[in-house]
Amino acid sequence: MAEEYLLQMSGICKSFAGVHALDHVNFHVRPGKVMCLAGENGCGKSTLVKIISGVYTRDEGKVVFEGNEITKITPAEATRLGIQVIYQDLSIFPNLTVMENLAINSEITDGRKIVNRKRWEETAKTALSKIDCKIDLYAKMGELSVADKQLVAICRALLFNAKLIIMDEPTTALTKREVEALFNTVRQLRDQGIAIMFISHKTEEIFEISDDVCIMRNGKNVFEGPTKDLTPRDFAYYMTGRELTDDHFIPKKISKEPVLKVEHLSAGRYYNDVSFELHKGEILGITGLLGSGRTELALSLFGLLKPTSGTINLRGRDVKIKSPMEAQKLKIGYVPEDRLTEGLCMAQSIADNIELASLKRISGNGFTLNHKKIFEDAATWVKKFSIATDDPHKYAQTLSGGNQQKIVLAKWLSNDLDVLILNGPTVGVDIGAKQDIHHLVHQLANDEGLAVIIISDDLSEVVENCSRVIVMKEGQIVGHLDADEVSEANILQIIH
Amino acid sequence: MKNFAKNNRYTVMLFVWMAAVLLFFTITKASTLWQVSTWQGIVMQFPEFGVMTIGVMFPFITGNIDMSFVALGDFATLIMAKYLNAHWVDGTSTGSPMGYIMTGILIAMIICIAGGIINGLLITKLGIPAVMATIAMQLVWQGLSIALTNGNTVSGLPELYTEIGHSNVLGFIPYPLFIFIIMAVIAGLLLKFTVFGEKLYMCGTNVKACHYSAINTDRVITVSFVLCAVWSCVGALLMVSTMASAKADYGTSYVMRVILILVLAGVLPDGGTGKIHDVVLSVIIVQIIGSGVNMFSNLNAYYANLIWGALLLLVLILSTKMGADGFHFKKKKAAKAA
């Protein structure tokens, strides 16, 4: 190819209502290379993508695609040029089959009115063959795993003779293994000469897959160049604008007696014969693939899933936890996996969300409630956890993922707890906030003697924060690593 | 002031609505509208469905709906009327009249509370969608009432009771209005200054998150239906008092009217929103429109429904544009931009 760059963007500006979403961003994509666009939430990544795909119009700047300057990009024009975006929600029709999903676009652009099954099947087969993808053509899209849906979305993009495929945070909902498979597909596409723009904020992924990196912060690009010129430490610095320190958890004081003792606990098909102990002042990691029973185990400890046999012993006493209300009384707190559906009332204020589990304490008599008190108490937590808001009266949905997660944490920590269970505490949280949350949990364990369980499939998170690790697989504990054995390699060996 | 308008967009909107409605009827029917008797009529009429509206507000805030409240109130007051009839022959009681009336009201109240609990349990324990469960219960209560009376009116209630609907407190506040004010104030206090009120709004926003925050969400929702039933009972008692009789189908048109009023007041069916003063304003506006339409004596009464329907549509269009939904829509856009 004659041109060095497939896509060149220089001096791109875009503002919304006077706020600069993009401020003179420069950005290049080389053909047949994987370029990562990285940055924390709200740094302007999505805006940039939407300008490339023609959803937004830029205020200023120059775009050159394959050597030709493009003055105005519309979505149709972008498709014609060979730019395809795979959004996070994948824009698929869950009620249709794989075949229909693949064929529908070309059927519509060709202006066909009559359905011809044979032709549909052919289109779909060609699409899948492009990346040697073996998915049942007649499976309902909605029933596929996220990873398979993604593959179908990629195949669909390829049908348009894509030269540049943009993937918007494709790995958020994938397990480690699925991410590997996706990366193989990405490499395959790259070798076919297709440029991939990969949007992510996960350090390991970026270093694993990308040839070039562009890092954005607050609407500006702060780094652009080959990935090999960058160290993970530099990367974290560019992402957050501050030096991050390595912060391994070292337990200071672990109680002799366990505060929680689980023995031979089973719950039907979810998990089987699980036993472990948890001491005050330690952080226990539970890891394993999705569906390994780790979440269900946590739900049982919080009274949301009834165990079928086995015992839970708390502070030396056998207990039955039948509801979250009882769990709260027994001083167990649970930060759920999914902030959006399980953690927060998004359309209520930050203050109301923080105090949601402590209304009784705020009230005093359990009946009357003073909203001023809610606000005052919440304000102390906002300060303590440095939640980025100027007013706790604002809705929880105005915050970024990391700050939302801090609310959920504050909700439980404003209770008097002995055991805190964190399920995926930093999913969808950017590096800076992630560090804050980890630091906070360390303090709680060391200074306040809290017993913490972290459930996570982010191995670096587990290794960095946990003094002991349990590995689960298909509902059973398959490995138990003590402090000196905890490492990513050891965990991976047990999982696979 | 600007903040007030921002935090109370519905209140502002409702005042605009009220001004618009008053202006319209002043232009078209000034002579009738600004008569004392017109306003006496208005304050006599709205309390019965107004109290019910406030009741239905509770399940609405939790994101549920109650379609059974009128039928339940009718059934409860029918039983009360039957009870009073049995102890009341030709205007003379066999004992203390006040005692019988109080017992009768207590019976009605107990029936309504039971009805509210049934609604709550159907929805929380059996997981039946609120619309379905309460429509079924509406049919059950109405069916029971009809079976009990063959659809006939039960009259012959003691005067002491029927007087309530037509007498004044302190000589100038009509009794129904007085009761409406009391019920509105109690509801307002419950919503604004109690733990229960807070839980009600939070459950309406995300019931799962509340359950995960150790809130007994089943109980909160069930209690909301019980409160709805209690307020509906008071409304039905007022209705029976003004009508001086009880019947299986009194006030059936109130079901839709109440939902209209709530949506107009920003108590959206999705849950989590709504303020008591907006509901009160909304009740008054709707009554003014109702009375206003009646002032056109040459207007065919059959058009009343058409006017109501058109109004509902207009309200929905405008409140979606101005209200919480419009707000959310903008929010989503901004989030995508980030």
Side-chain angles (χ1 to χ4, degrees):
Chain A
M1 215 168 276
E3 295 292 330
E4 192 193 346
Y5 294 115
L6 178 69
L7 174 71
Q8 277 178 280
M9 300 177 85
S10 40
I12 303 291
C13 292
K14 173 83 190 171
S15 18
F16 293 100
V19 180
H20 286 290
L22 295 177
D23 188 5
H24 295 93
V25 173
N26 298 317
F27 176 78
H28 302 82
V29 183
R30 293 191 284 166
K33 297 283 180 194
V34 179
M35 118 78 82
C36 265
L37 180 59
E40 301 202 324
N41 292 327
C43 69
K45 285 176 297 187
S46 306
T47 314
L48 186 63
V49 169
K50 283 186 176 152
I51 285 176
I52 301 173
S53 63
V55 178
Y56 293 154
T57 318
R58 60 186 186 273
D59 297 341
E60 258 177 68
K62 201 169 123 182
V63 178
V64 179
F65 192 80
E66 289 191 301
N68 304 316
E69 188 173 341
I70 319 266
T71 43
K72 190 169 165 50
I73 321 175
T74 60
E77 175 75 2
T79 310
R80 199 186 57 75
L81 290 170
I83 299 172
Q84 282 288 324
V85 185
I86 298 172
Y87 289 104
Q88 251 168 332
D89 60 8
L90 304 172
S91 320
I92 51 151
F93 304 100
N95 53 333
L96 300 184
T97 63
V98 172
M99 178 184 83
E100 288 162 334
N101 265 287
L102 283 169
I104 198 152
N105 281 322
S106 55
E107 291 289 309
I108 291 170
T109 41
D110 293 353
R112 293 189 198 275
K113 302 275 183 289
I114 296 165
V115 174
N116 178 340
R117 244 184 201 295
K118 265 234 166 79
R119 195 179 59 234
W120 284 48
E121 207 177 88
E122 225 161 83
T123 319
K125 269 189 185 150
T126 336
L128 289 184
S129 68
K130 289 198 177 176
I131 52 169
D132 301 320
C133 166
K134 285 177 191 61
I135 294 173
D136 179 10
L137 280 182
Y138 295 95
K140 278 262 185 313
M141 204 65 187
E143 289 160 11
L144 297 183
S145 67
V146 184
D148 283 348
K149 283 180 194 157
Q150 231 158 29
L151 289 180
V152 174
I154 292 172
C155 291
R156 195 176 55 185
L158 292 174
L159 279 175
F160 291 96
N161 295 317
K163 290 174 190 146
L164 171 64
I165 296 182
I166 302 171
M167 299 173 144
D168 193 357
E169 307 217 8
T171 58
T172 23
L174 300 187
T175 62
K176 208 95 188 166
R177 198 182 295 204
E178 287 170 331
V179 171
E180 272 314 308
L182 177 72
F183 282 0
N184 281 333
T185 311
V186 168
R187 289 190 192 103
Q188 214 177 334
L189 292 172
R190 179 192 64 192
D191 296 342
Q192 289 173 17
I194 295 170
I196 311 280
M197 194 174 136
F198 194 89
I199 299 169
S200 178
H201 54 76
K202 295 186 186 163
T203 320
E204 318 88 75
E205 286 175 4
I206 291 166
F207 280 95
E208 186 177 345
I209 191 73
S210 68
D211 302 301
D212 300 310
V213 185
C214 172
I215 303 173
M216 292 182 62
R217 195 170 74 229
N218 298 332
K220 294 180 186 158
N221 56 340
V222 287
F223 176 87
E224 205 203 350
T227 315
K228 56 179 193 314
D229 294 354
L230 205 63
T231 65
R233 185 174 279 274
D234 294 341
F235 177 77
Y237 172 71
Y238 284 124
M239 289 280 279
T240 59
R242 52 180 162 151
E243 290 282 354
L244 296 178
T245 44
D246 231 9
D247 190 16
H248 266 265
F249 172 65
I250 300 153
K252 275 187 194 152
K253 199 178 134 221
I254 293 179
S255 69
K256 223 180 254 160
E257 288 301 310
V259 58
L260 174 74
K261 214 160 102 187
V262 172
E263 278 177 323
H264 308 295
L265 203 66
S266 302
R269 61 198 161 87
Y270 298 113
Y271 58 85
N272 200 358
D273 197 22
V274 170
S275 305
F276 66 90
E277 285 181 358
L278 180 69
H279 299 257
K280 283 196 162 195
E282 77 168 340
I283 304 178
L284 172 70
I286 299 181
T287 185
L289 301 172
L290 268 182
S292 60
R294 45 177 208 191
T295 294
E296 288 78 5
L297 176 63
L299 292 182
S300 290
L301 293 176
F302 191 59
L304 285 163
L305 179 76
K306 203 178 157 199
T308 44
S309 64
T311 56
I312 300 171
N313 187 298
L314 206 64
R315 294 177 290 267
R317 204 159 53 85
D318 275 359
V319 289
K320 286 225 172 346
I321 310 169
K322 289 192 202 112
S323 68
M325 290 74 90
E326 287 181 28
Q328 188 188 31
K329 273 186 205 132
L330 294 167
K331 300 185 176 179
I332 300 175
Y334 175 61
V335 174
E337 221 175 351
D338 187 346
R339 267 194 305 280
L340 192 72
T341 64
E342 300 164 343
L344 289 171
C345 297
M346 289 291 184
Q348 296 288 356
S349 74
I350 295 164
D352 284 328
N353 271 292
I354 290 178
E355 302 304 332
L356 189 53
S358 10
L359 291 174
K360 212 178 196 167
R361 176 175 58 80
I362 297 281
S363 155
N365 57 17
F367 183 70
T368 56
L369 191 65
N370 183 345
H371 283 266
K372 220 170 140 194
K373 257 192 189 164
I374 289 195
F375 180 75
E376 283 167 5
D377 197 66
T380 63
W381 288 100
V382 165
K383 208 168 155 204
K384 198 165 167 188
F385 286 8
S386 47
I387 295 172
T389 184
D390 51 346
D391 183 1
H393 285 113
K394 283 189 178 166
Y395 282 176
Q397 63 194 4
T398 58
L399 296 179
S400 68
N403 284 299
Q404 288 177 356
Q405 190 69 352
K406 286 181 189 171
I407 297 184
V408 187
L409 271 172
K411 174 166 79 187
W412 279 108
L413 295 174
S414 54
N415 279 275
D416 176 24
L417 291 182
D418 279 349
V419 178
L420 176 65
I421 307 167
L422 304 167
N423 196 352
T426 57
V427 172
V429 169
D430 44 48
I431 303 188
K434 192 170 170 175
Q435 188 98 4
D436 286 350
I437 290 171
H438 287 166
H439 195 68
L440 205 76
V441 173
H442 296 182
Q443 269 182 350
L444 288 166
N446 277 338
D447 302 346
E448 291 173 33
L450 195 68
V452 183
I453 298 178
I454 292 183
I455 301 172
S456 176
D457 54 11
D458 179 347
L459 291 188
S460 63
E461 172 169 63
V462 171
V463 170
E464 196 180 311
N465 297 296
C466 301
S467 43
R468 259 187 326 128
V469 176
I470 289 172
V471 183
M472 285 184 77
K473 192 176 182 179
E474 285 155 13
Q476 260 155 348
I477 294 185
V478 290
H480 202 133
L481 300 168
D482 279 325
D484 49 342
E485 304 165 325
V486 173
S487 74
E488 284 194 42
N490 283 347
I491 296 173
L492 278 173
Q493 203 180 2
I494 298 171
I495 289 181
H496 296 295
Chain B
M1 191 59 209
K2 205 177 168 190
N3 242 343
F4 175 84
K6 208 176 134 200
N7 294 331
N8 296 281
R9 66 186 75 234
Y10 277 98
T11 317
V12 173
M13 189 172 82
L14 286 166
F15 273 117
V16 173
W17 271 102
M18 188 177 279
V21 167
L22 286 175
L23 188 68
F24 174 78
F25 287 118
T26 308
I27 291 168
T28 52
K29 279 275 173 191
S31 53
T32 332
L33 178 70
W34 297 108
Q35 272 172 12
V36 177
S37 62
T38 308
W39 287 92
Q40 275 171 343
I42 287 175
V43 296
M44 289 300 283
Q45 281 164 2
F46 78 74
E48 47 188 65
F49 69 83
V51 172
M52 289 184 185
T53 310
I54 292 168
V56 181
M57 189 183 173
F58 294 111
F60 249 68
I61 292 174
T62 68
N64 287 292
I65 196 169
D66 188 353
M67 310 288 283
S68 70
F69 63 98
V70 172
L72 176 60
D74 279 336
F75 176 73
T77 47
L78 259 181
I79 298 288
M80 178 191 75
K82 286 249 170 201
Y83 167 81
L84 289 178
N85 261 347
H87 295 275
W88 223 274
V89 188
D90 301 325
T92 47
S93 69
T94 47
S96 143
M98 199 58 189
Y100 284 125
I101 290 173
M102 280 304 163
T103 318
I105 291 176
L106 191 67
I107 292 171
M109 208 47 106
I110 289 169
I111 293 172
C112 280
I113 290 172
I117 293 174
I118 294 173
N119 279 340
L121 294 182
L122 286 175
I123 292 156
T124 56
K125 297 298 173 198
L126 298 181
I128 304 171
V131 182
M132 299 297 152
T134 56
I135 285 180
M137 284 315 294
Q138 177 198 18
L139 292 172
V140 168
W141 295 123
Q142 199 170 40
L144 274 174
S145 303
I146 292 171
L148 200 70
T149 60
N150 293 329
N152 293 327
T153 310
V154 179
S155 50
L157 298 173
E159 226 170 78
L160 191 62
Y161 179 68
T162 54
E163 257 177 7
I164 296 173
H166 306 282
S167 56
N168 291 335
V169 181
L170 304 173
F172 67 98
I173 306 170
Y175 230 109
L177 181 64
F178 177 69
I179 290 175
F180 174 77
I181 292 169
I182 290 180
M183 296 310 276
V185 169
I186 297 175
L189 292 175
L190 264 177
L191 289 174
K192 186 100 187 132
F193 298 107
T194 67
V195 174
F196 171 75
E198 173 81 4
K199 287 179 181 171
L200 212 55
Y201 285 99
M202 298 306 275
C203 282
T205 317
N206 186 346
V207 73
K208 198 170 181 187
C210 287
H211 189 52
Y212 274 68
S213 304
I215 286 174
N216 193 340
T217 51
D218 285 1
R219 196 166 68 195
V220 171
I221 290 168
T222 306
V223 172
S224 81
F225 277 95
V226 171
L227 291 178
C228 172
V230 169
W231 261 252
S232 305
C233 188
V234 173
L237 286 169
L238 282 175
M239 194 160 65
V240 168
S241 166
T242 7
M243 297 287 210
S245 62
K247 200 176 175 221
D249 64 351
Y250 275 163
T252 37
S253 68
Y254 287 166
V255 180
M256 288 303 148
R257 187 184 302 187
V258 160
I259 293 170
L260 166 91
I261 295 169
L262 288 175
V263 175
L264 177 65
V267 190
L268 302 179
D270 289 347
T273 58
K275 289 174 180 155
I276 189 78
H277 53 263
D278 291 343
V279 171
V280 172
L281 274 175
S282 181
V283 164
I284 296 170
I285 292 172
V286 165
Q287 181 58 49
I288 294 175
I289 294 171
S291 302
V293 172
N294 277 334
M295 291 186 306
F296 295 86
S297 47
N298 51 349
L299 187 79
N300 193 328
Y302 294 110
Y303 285 113
N305 269 346
L306 181 63
I307 294 168
W308 272 89
L311 175 78
L312 173 59
L313 207 58
L314 192 64
V315 166
L316 284 174
I317 293 167
L318 290 179
S319 59
T320 315
K321 274 213 176 307
M322 292 177 59
D325 270 8
F327 184 64
H328 275 306
F329 187 64
K330 270 185 202 156
K331 270 267 134 54
K332 253 180 214 161
K333 258 191 179 164
K336 265 187 191 162

